[in-house]
């Protein structure tokens, strides 16, 4: 049952539902987002992929003109050009980027750990060792907002992992360059070339390779529905892997009567301003908190520079009123949000019940924005319910874990008979023989 509906000509008020009135079918429909039922997005993306695969750089020049409204004289910026662009960054801006760099680096550096060797039985030793993915592609969005923070989130773990080649693509600005903050982050990361390609065409270029852009082994980075669709197609049709289907941004806030409506509204709007296909969800045990939050949303929206984008995103967002925090968590786990905020002083009572979420923000003083920029955790996260099966980007995303094993003469005697029996019962006699011939000589 919808408790309120958007007013005619209004500002895009969020619909409100009672959780107890929702059927399983209702909930299934509510948690769906960014679907492409008529395959319209797929059709467009498949054409782009085919064009780039066939025509390489020429297609990228054409798409820059068509989609970015820029006539490029070349496809990339070199180190000298990046240094010139970055020279306009103000000292306080450099300091903020450097603080974010150091926090993100510290958090991710701790993820690089060697594993112990395990002797599974006398003479049989097994272990895993890390090896970097050799060639990785980083997609840095640049549509309605330029995101140097995403460059940090992807570039830092790639550097820590030791990837041998890092290809970076980002949409060009009207002056045939990239944003100054993107250029400065490139210098922080030791990256001396950025390719000016955006959208699904950039994903295609890194997946297939062009005259200028190297084919990579794995592609990273969030984007709109076209970028996400390109990544999912690439993963199923080429040898290039992807980090995850990271599409339009989303947040789910769980709040009780200990929450602050002003804070909740700010968090909802922080996601809504990403793009018109973003989604902001409030699940609360308090009808009064819901009412006060809506008033704050309207008040804060009025002064936002990206208000028109926000209004469209809010029209696709909603509020759910539950009886308990446990019910709120049940809905959250079904939604599987990219960002989950527990806006309650009682977060310790429900945090252990979180099953599906990309990144979690605990308490009333922990806004999602800190994770977006500088706390240290990674903001490249699974969206559209993919948090049910995917983790966010980490150093692990940029490495392979290769298993090793070594068997001594004692080991082959200990493990050999069991392997012979298992191979024989499966009818694989050559497998059995590979063990038998070694046991005969030891």
């Amino acid at each position: 049952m919808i408790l309120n509906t958007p007013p005619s000509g209004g500002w895009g008020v969020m619909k409100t539902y009672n959780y107890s009135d929702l059927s399983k079918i209702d909930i299934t429909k509510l948690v769906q987002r960014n679907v492409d039922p008529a395959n319209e997005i797929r059709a467009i993306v498949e054409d782009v992929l085919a064009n780039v695969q066939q025509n390489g750089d020429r297609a990228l020049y054409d798409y820059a003109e068509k989609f970015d409204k820029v006539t490029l004289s070349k496809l990339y910026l070199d180190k000298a050009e990046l240094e010139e662009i970055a020279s306009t960054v103000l000292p306080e801006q450099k300091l903020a980027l450097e603080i974010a760099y150091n926090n993100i680096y510290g958090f991710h550096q701790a993820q690089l750990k060697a594993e112990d060797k395990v002797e599974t039985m006398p003479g049989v030793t097994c272990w895993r060792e890390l090896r970097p993915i050799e060639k990785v592609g980083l997609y840095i969005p640049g549509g309605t907002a330029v995101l140097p923070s995403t460059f940090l989130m992807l570039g830092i773990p790639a550097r820590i992992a030791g990837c041998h080649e890092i290809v970076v693509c980002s949409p060009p600005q009207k002056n045939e360059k990239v944003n100054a903050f993107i250029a400065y982050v490139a210098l922080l990361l030791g990256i001396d070339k950025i390719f000016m390609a955006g959208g699904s065409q950039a994903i295609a270029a890194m997946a297939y390779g062009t005259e200028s852009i190297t084919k990579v082994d794995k592609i990273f980075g969030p984007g709109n529905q076209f970028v996400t669709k390109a990544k999912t197609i690439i993963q199923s049709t080429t040898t290039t892997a992807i980090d995850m289907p990271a599409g339009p941004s989303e947040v789910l806030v769980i709040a009780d009567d200990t929450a602050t409506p002003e804070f909740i509204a700010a968090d909802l709007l922080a996601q809504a301003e990403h793009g018109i296909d973003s989604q902001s969800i409030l699940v609360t045990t308090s009808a009064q908190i819901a009412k006060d939050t809506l008033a704050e949303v309207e008040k804060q929206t009025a002064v936002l520079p990206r208000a028109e984008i926000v209004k469209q995103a809010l029209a696709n967002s909603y509020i759910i009123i539950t009886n308990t925090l446990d019910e709120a968590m049940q809905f959250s786990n079904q939604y599987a949000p990219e960002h989950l905020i527990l806006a309650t002083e009682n977060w310790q009572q429900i945090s252990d019940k979180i099953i599906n979420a990309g990144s979690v923000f605990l308490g009333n003083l922990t806004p999602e924005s800190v994770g977006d920029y500088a706390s240290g955790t990674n903001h490249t996260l699974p969206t559209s319910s993919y948090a049910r099966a995917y983790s966010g980007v980490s150093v692990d995303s940029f490495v392979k874990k290769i298993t090793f094993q070594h068997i001594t003469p004692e080991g082959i005697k200990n493990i050999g008979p069991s392997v012979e029996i298992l191979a024989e019962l499966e009818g694989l006699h050559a497998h059995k023989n590979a063990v038998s011939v070694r046991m005969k000589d030891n």
Side-chain angles (χ1 to χ4, degrees), residues 229-307:
K229 183 64 70 175
K231 287 171 67 178
T232 56
I233 293 173
I234 286 300
Q235 181 171 240
S236 62
T237 59
T238 74
T239 58
T240 299
I242 66 169
D243 51 354
M244 71 191 82
S249 194
E250 60 198 36
V251 67
L252 188 147
V253 180
I254 291 179
D256 61 9
D257 56 11
T258 68
T260 304
E262 181 183 11
F263 297 172
I264 299 171
D267 290 329
L268 296 174
L269 294 173
Q271 290 307 304
E273 74 173 350
H274 271 293
I276 61 173
D277 49 4
S278 296
Q279 194 167 56
S280 299
I281 309 300
L282 171 59
V283 185
T284 179
T285 58
S286 168
Q288 188 62 48
I289 287 288
K291 180 181 177 181
D292 292 347
T293 297
L294 281 173
E296 274 291 335
V297 166
E298 184 170 11
K299 175 182 173 183
Q300 293 181 33
T301 299
V303 298
L304 290 176
R306 296 167 66 86

Side-chain angles (χ1 to χ4, degrees), residues 56-99:
D57 285 356
R58 182 67 262 160
L60 298 180
Y61 282 110
D62 292 343
Y63 285 128
E65 191 161 351
K66 178 179 180 180
F67 295 135
D68 303 307
K69 310 303 179 186
V70 179
T71 302
L72 294 175
S73 56
K74 64 174 185 175
L75 282 177
Y76 67 90
L77 299 168
D78 60 27
K79 185 177 181 180
E81 292 168 310
L82 293 172
E83 288 175 340
E84 181 182 356
I85 297 168
S87 66
T88 64
V89 179
L90 298 175
E92 62 269 25
Q93 295 169 333
K94 290 181 179 180
L95 179 60
L97 287 167
E98 289 161 7
I99 289 173

Side-chain angles (χ1 to χ4, degrees), residues 169-236:
C169 287
S170 191
Q173 295 190 315
K174 301 303 181 187
N175 60 359
E176 295 188 63
K177 300 184 185 301
V178 294
N179 179 276
F181 308 119
I182 295 285
Y184 187 69
V185 170
L187 301 180
L188 286 177
L189 293 168
I191 289 171
D192 56 13
K193 184 179 286 188
I194 293 180
F195 292 96
M196 291 179 290
S200 55
Q201 61 269 29
I203 304 302
M206 291 187 283
Y208 301 124
T210 71
E211 296 90 335
S212 299
I213 298 177
T214 302
K215 178 187 182 331
V216 302
D217 301 312
K218 190 172 183 179
I219 296 172
F220 296 79
N224 60 22
Q225 293 187 62
F226 295 92
V227 169
T228 303
K229 183 64 70 175
K231 287 171 67 178
T232 56
I233 293 173
I234 286 300
Q235 181 171 240
S236 62

